Amino acid sequence: RLPAAMAALPYTLLISPMLALSPHLQPLTHRQLTTSRAAAVLLRGGGGGAWSSYLHALETKPMRTKMATSAVLSGTGDLIAQALEASGPFASRRLCALVAVNVLYIVPVLTAFYAANEALVRALKMAPGWRRTGVQLAFDQLVNAPIVIAGFFASFQLATSVIDALIVGGGLPPVRVLGASVRAQLVESWGATIVANWKVWVLPQLVNFALVPPFARVAFANVVALVWNVVLSLIANASR
């Protein structure tokens, strides 16, 4: 279970700014959804500097940029989680496992799911607008999230075992033992994590699909994931 302080954290950091933005939200037009230059102008606000360079890197080197962003934010999320727990010395292996899972599993899988989401609304021939946004949000939260969360627990157990084997030695545990550990964590945490996911992600993903062009959606999600990684780290390590 999450500490009491975490119950309000997603709402404090996410819902207040979303409510402030809500009167001004308008879905992207077809031109903004399909034209890279229009999308860049929308996000950059005509400015330059580091933010503009980052968006340029997202367009020209998307996977590398998203992985680097994810590494920084997932590591920061675990640092915050460990500070909230204050349960012992800093666990570097735990941090490395969470970063590895985010970089090597979460980013590629989310990239594929976002592409599938776009393909779905194109196949349904849905024009840009709130109906299209609603379908994308439903696919993201009812199809994407349960699958990705289940894969996260499996990946986290595997990454933890690999890091322990490299640092401590002794080799990897048998597949049977690893599978039993994954099943136990899924039974204990999967349902609660999906509910926590809906509390954290529904409003930001509504904004993501309504306002953010496709090339920048994983990066936008990575920023929100600073909060989500705190939640995931606390849940994934609760029984360890």
Side-chain angles (χ1 to χ4, degrees):
R1 297 180 60 184
L2 296 178
M6 289 301 300
L9 181 59
Y11 298 97
T12 302
L13 296 181
L14 298 173
I15 291 181
S16 295
M18 296 308 170
L19 290 176
L21 285 171
S22 60
H24 310 290
L25 298 184
Q26 294 295 329
L28 288 172
T29 65
H30 180 71
R31 177 178 177 80
Q32 288 169 330
L33 280 167
T34 57
T35 304
S36 177
R37 180 176 296 176
V41 170
L42 177 69
L43 283 176
R44 291 173 185 144
W51 178 242
S52 180
S53 298
Y54 175 74
L55 292 175
H56 177 72
L58 270 178
E59 293 185 83
T60 57
K61 300 174 182 177
M63 189 59 70
R64 185 185 307 176
T65 305
K66 287 182 285 190
M67 285 180 166
T69 304
S70 181
V72 171
L73 293 176
S74 60
T76 303
D78 187 63
L79 289 173
I80 294 171
Q82 293 198 43
L84 287 172
E85 289 173 330
S87 58
F90 175 70
S92 58
R93 281 179 283 177
R94 162 180 157 171
L95 183 144
C96 290
L98 190 67
V99 170
V101 169
N102 273 271
V103 171
L104 300 177
Y105 167 71
I106 295 291
V107 170
V109 168
L110 284 187
T111 299
F113 266 113
Y114 280 122
N117 205 325
E118 284 297 307
L120 172 65
V121 293
R122 284 198 302 269
L124 294 175
K125 299 180 179 179
M126 302 189 75
W130 290 116
R131 182 175 297 178
R132 175 184 176 125
T133 298
V135 168
Q136 290 186 295
L137 182 64
F139 178 86
D140 181 73
Q141 292 301 303
L142 300 178
V143 178
N144 173 1
I147 294 172
V148 172
I149 288 170
F152 166 82
F153 286 123
S155 300
F156 185 80
Q157 292 287 348
L158 177 60
T160 301
S161 297
V162 169
I163 290 170
D164 285 345
L166 291 173
I167 296 176
V168 180
L172 291 172
V175 173
R176 176 178 54 82
V177 174
L178 187 59
S181 179
V182 171
R183 283 194 299 273
Q185 189 159 50
L186 287 174
V187 169
E188 179 183 354
S189 303
W190 183 69
T193 306
I194 291 175
V195 173
N197 164 84
W198 290 335
K199 291 178 180 179
V200 172
W201 281 102
V202 170
L203 280 175
Q205 287 296 74
L206 175 63
V207 173
N208 200 3
F209 290 117
L211 299 178
V212 179
F215 80 91
R217 282 176 183 160
V218 172
F220 177 90
N222 274 335
V223 174
V224 180
L226 178 59
V227 174
W228 180 235
N229 279 314
V230 175
V231 177
L232 273 184
S233 182
L234 290 169
I235 293 174
N237 291 281
S239 61
R240 298 185 69 85

